[in-house]
Amino acid sequence: MNSLKQRAQALKRWILTQNATIDATDARRSGQVATLLMMLFGVAMAFGMTPGVSMQTVPLAPVIEDMTADLGTATPTPGTFIQQDQIRSGDTLAALLFRMGVSDQAALDFIASDPKARVIYQHMAPGKPIRVEHAANGDLVSLHFPYGDKGTLVVSHTLSGFSSSLVGEGNLHRIIQANGTIHSSLFAAADSAGIPDSVTHQLTRLFSTDIDFHNDLRSGDTFSVVYEATQNDFDQLVPGKILAAEFVNKGVTIRRVYYENAEGGDYYTPDGHGSKASFLRSPIEFSRITSGFSAARFHPILKTWRAHKGIDLAAPKGTPIVAVANATVTYAGWRNGYGNMIELHHANGIDTVYGHLSAFAGGLHSGEKIHQGDLIGYVGMTGWATGPHLHYEFKINGVQHDPLGPEVPRFASTDLTGHARTQFLSATAPYLKQLDAVRGSAFASFE
């Protein structure tokens, strides 16, 4: 063994100490030869040192190890990604989803064709949130879209294809208190106070028996409101019903509080008197009277003096018109100077008439039963009219009366008495206390 080792070292020294004038190519070749000879000597030495080793072929089994695997957990399946974003001005649904990592034409086709899912297109607005879950390849797994107070619209990819469903809001409820002062209009004051439009509309309906919101409001009037809300999947507060409210109009304070018992819920005065109107003060939420009830009025088209047996309420074309009380539709069609006209029959021999409409509510027909506040049509200027307005009549046993006069019954709710009133006072005291707390406060508060 020593002689072989000595010969190898001598050969190596001889190769490496050759004439220094050898060019680079020859030097490289010499090095390769030296290396080869050393390997041969090494193999020979190894076999010479290991007696008894078989020279037969030994099959080798490769071992593959994933160096990235966590030895304590199973290998995960391909994952999905969840993202939430807001709709931006000019966004299309396709552009929004692509920005969030979704590239799925089948999903877009489903949303466009499905009756429930396509409301997404109708309700897209800047600032509105949307949440998606998608696979790594861009396929949509699920989409969540807020659908107002109705809940969350969910589009899901299942084994059988896409499906849509409406999911109710979560169980996180809030009570919100706010107030405002009127300087120009109710809605401007409500916006300044951070009160949602849906709550403001409730305010107008709640006090519509006592206040004409177009003619009676004054700068400096104040209002306070306590209403419920639900926190949805997007951490948004979805407003619900008013629990208590106050309106101070021309120095007169009017209050309403909500109370629910086994027979249902309704609004009352703080001492338990029913406040639900038998007949609303006006069939239009915001309007102005351009011509009142009169025994003699100069007709702008006929150019003669004649009785005006109703009132004219000016409003833009297309303004919604609602039923002033529960009724049965007795006529909906064209009638001479009234143009498009609706006549409703109420209890106790009372009828109301609505003229010059631009259109009727969808599906409205003679014999239909409707409820107070239901949409029946839209303001127009059909028939004998010089501008868009609603001609509104109030008849008792076939005789016209002033719709704003004392003959019109205003209240229909039952007053609470005895034990029912005691329960009412106890149940509503917390809401009225909250109303007292927010009154005069400059900011909305939450709890």
Side-chain angles (χ1 to χ4, degrees):
M1 181 185 73
N2 290 335
S3 62
L4 287 173
K5 189 173 183 181
Q6 290 169 357
R7 289 175 185 175
Q9 290 173 347
L11 178 61
K12 181 179 178 182
R13 284 195 300 273
W14 177 80
I15 293 172
L16 297 177
T17 56
Q18 294 303 303
N19 195 327
T21 60
I22 298 175
D23 60 25
T25 300
D26 291 337
R28 284 196 300 272
R29 288 175 180 168
S30 299
Q32 293 169 358
V33 173
T35 301
L36 179 60
L37 291 171
M38 290 178 67
M39 290 176 63
L40 290 173
F41 278 113
V43 172
M45 290 165 57
F47 284 120
M49 293 169 59
T50 316
V53 175
S54 172
M55 296 297 294
Q56 68 182 8
T57 304
V58 179
L60 300 177
V63 177
I64 301 173
E65 183 178 359
D66 184 359
M67 301 302 294
T68 63
D70 183 354
L71 299 178
T73 60
T75 304
T77 57
T80 60
F81 305 89
I82 296 177
Q83 258 185 285
Q84 182 166 318
D85 202 344
Q86 287 188 336
I87 297 171
R88 302 173 189 172
S89 180
D91 262 345
T92 63
L93 183 59
L96 172 61
L97 294 182
F98 185 78
R99 187 169 71 239
M100 299 174 73
V102 177
S103 180
D104 192 335
Q105 187 59 46
L108 289 170
D109 293 341
F110 172 80
I111 294 171
S113 61
D114 182 72
K116 191 178 293 182
R118 66 182 174 218
V119 301
I120 295 174
Y121 287 102
Q122 302 164 4
H123 291 81
M124 286 184 66
K128 206 162 194 178
I130 188 169
R131 187 171 69 251
V132 299
E133 181 181 2
H134 64 87
N137 64 356
D139 286 349
L140 181 69
V141 176
S142 67
L143 179 151
H144 289 68
F145 183 81
Y147 192 24
D149 56 2
K150 296 181 175 66
T152 300
L153 180 65
V154 181
V155 175
S156 302
H157 194 189
T158 66
L159 293 176
S160 57
F162 287 99
S163 66
S164 62
S165 60
L166 193 60
V167 180
E169 300 296 346
N171 295 321
L172 184 56
H173 293 277
R174 297 285 186 89
I175 303 296
I176 303 178
Q177 307 164 332
N179 73 353
T181 301
I182 293 174
H183 299 291
S184 57
S185 71
L186 173 61
F187 274 88
D191 286 344
S192 297
I195 299 174
D197 285 351
S198 62
V199 176
T200 309
H201 282 294
Q202 288 184 62
L203 270 176
T204 62
R205 291 193 295 270
L206 192 55
F207 295 104
S208 61
T209 302
D210 306 277
I211 302 171
D212 180 335
F213 282 94
H214 186 89
N215 296 302
D216 292 345
L217 294 187
R218 298 290 183 271
S219 178
D221 285 353
T222 62
F223 56 90
S224 305
V225 62
V226 176
Y227 64 95
E228 64 181 7
T230 305
Q231 192 163 341
N232 68 10
D233 293 338
F234 305 89
D235 292 328
Q236 292 180 310
L237 288 176
V238 180
K241 65 176 174 287
I242 289 177
L243 300 174
E246 173 187 282
F247 217 106
V248 181
N249 174 234
K250 295 183 285 189
V252 177
T253 300
I254 309 165
R255 279 189 162 194
R256 299 287 182 264
V257 62
Y258 182 79
Y259 174 62
E260 187 169 353
N261 55 23
E263 298 177 357
D266 206 348
Y267 290 94
Y268 297 84
T269 63
D271 55 2
H273 291 294
S275 65
K276 188 174 182 179
S278 176
F279 286 86
L280 299 178
R281 187 178 178 88
S282 172
I284 303 177
E285 200 165 74
F286 293 97
S287 63
R288 60 188 177 88
I289 299 175
T290 55
S291 184
F293 188 87
S294 173
R297 180 195 70 152
F298 187 76
H299 197 282
I301 293 179
L302 301 178
K303 306 299 182 183
T304 60
W305 290 90
R306 58 188 298 173
H308 188 236
K309 297 182 178 182
I311 60 175
D312 290 344
L313 301 168
K317 181 180 177 181
T319 299
I321 302 167
V322 301
V324 292
N326 295 347
T328 301
V329 179
T330 54
Y331 185 82
W334 185 276
R335 182 174 291 175
N336 303 326
Y338 286 95
N340 289 324
M341 189 197 87
I342 295 172
E343 186 164 8
L344 303 181
H345 179 66
H346 310 276
N348 302 317
I350 296 175
D351 298 274
T352 54
V353 175
Y354 311 78
H356 308 310
L357 279 63
S358 62
F360 303 106
L364 190 77
H365 60 273
S366 181
E368 181 181 359
K369 302 290 185 181
I370 57 175
H371 297 91
Q372 184 181 66
D374 283 353
L375 176 70
I376 58 173
Y378 303 89
V379 169
M381 52 181 296
T382 56
W384 296 348
T386 58
H389 72 280
L390 172 68
H391 175 79
Y392 173 50
E393 294 182 9
F394 192 96
K395 297 190 290 186
I396 302 176
N397 297 322
V399 178
Q400 286 94 343
H401 292 261
D402 185 353
L404 301 179
E407 299 90 349
V408 179
R410 290 296 176 202
F411 296 98
S413 296
T414 303
D415 293 346
L416 298 173
T417 58
H419 181 63
R421 183 174 182 273
T422 301
Q423 289 182 314
F424 162 82
L425 294 175
S426 175
T428 59
Y431 299 150
L432 294 172
K433 184 177 180 181
Q434 289 175 312
L435 198 60
D436 289 334
V438 74
R439 189 184 194 196
S441 170
F443 303 99
S445 60
F446 305 81
E447 70 170 37

